[in-house]
Amino acid sequence: MNDMERAGLLIDQYGNAILRLAYSYLHSMEDAEDILQDTLLQYIKTKPQLESPDHEKAWLLRVAANLSKNKIQYNKIRETDELAEELVGKEEEDLAFVWDAVKKLPEKYREVVHLFYQEGYSTKEISGILGRKEATVRSDLLRGREQLKKILKEDYDFE
């Protein structure tokens, strides 16, 4: 299989997950699409030898997360104004407000909440993806939930 066929296969399998993760960092669909392309280019350039599809997905998500963080730094340095766009995802209409509240969380909580609830990773898998200790991931997830509860309570009068 040549590189272009492999890239097409990766987009079919993991494109949505990579795009959602990049969007959760960048809040810009154009930037998220750029990160998706850059992630695939990294894969093609490095041709990593991975053990399984799960490792492949984790590798791609980790690269996408790192590229997204780099893009955030790049944008801060250049002080660009990003246009806010809404992500069309699989969430139910009535849960869209929850993901809007998640966007208000600090980055370290937002990324673990996204990976845990949206992508379905365990805290152990998230620790591998983000390069943090599993206990730190669990703490960040707990603190993220607490902050999310406060945001929902303030913005939507939830108890």
Side-chain angles (χ1 to χ4, degrees), residues 1-11 14 18 35-50 56 59-60 63 67:
M1 180 180 315
N2 69 29
D3 290 342
M4 295 307 288
E5 291 171 343
R6 185 70 188 139
L9 197 88
L10 291 172
I11 286 176
Y14 309 118
I18 294 168
I35 296 301
L36 173 60
Q37 290 175 357
D38 292 344
T39 301
L40 293 174
L41 288 173
Q42 274 303 104
Y43 187 90
I44 290 168
K45 278 189 216 174
T46 59
K47 297 178 183 172
Q49 299 299 316
L50 302 167
E56 185 174 62
W59 187 92
L60 290 166
V63 168
L67 289 171

Side-chain angles (χ1 to χ4, degrees), residues 84-101:
E85 292 186 28
E86 296 301 317
L87 175 66
V88 178
K90 293 182 183 176
E91 298 95 33
E92 298 291 324
E93 279 286 322
D94 57 334
L95 294 180
F97 68 94
V98 174
W99 291 106
D100 288 339

Side-chain angles (χ1 to χ4, degrees), residues 10 13-22 24-25 39 50 52-65 99 109-131 134 137-138 140-142 145:
L10 291 172
Q13 289 179 324
Y14 309 118
N16 286 335
I18 294 168
L19 194 63
R20 284 192 309 263
L21 178 65
S24 74
Y25 279 99
T39 301
L50 302 167
S52 70
D54 289 338
H55 286 98
E56 185 174 62
K57 183 177 181 184
W59 187 92
L60 290 166
L61 289 175
R62 185 174 205 154
V63 168
W99 291 106
Y109 301 144
R110 186 174 61 240
E111 64 188 0
V112 295
V113 167
H114 172 81
L115 290 170
F116 187 80
Y117 289 105
Q118 187 67 30
E119 301 301 328
Y121 282 105
S122 68
T123 54
K124 184 176 182 176
E125 292 168 323
I126 294 169
S127 72
I129 290 169
L130 299 178
E134 187 176 356
V137 170
R138 285 194 302 268
D140 289 345
L141 190 57
L142 177 67
R145 287 182 190 130

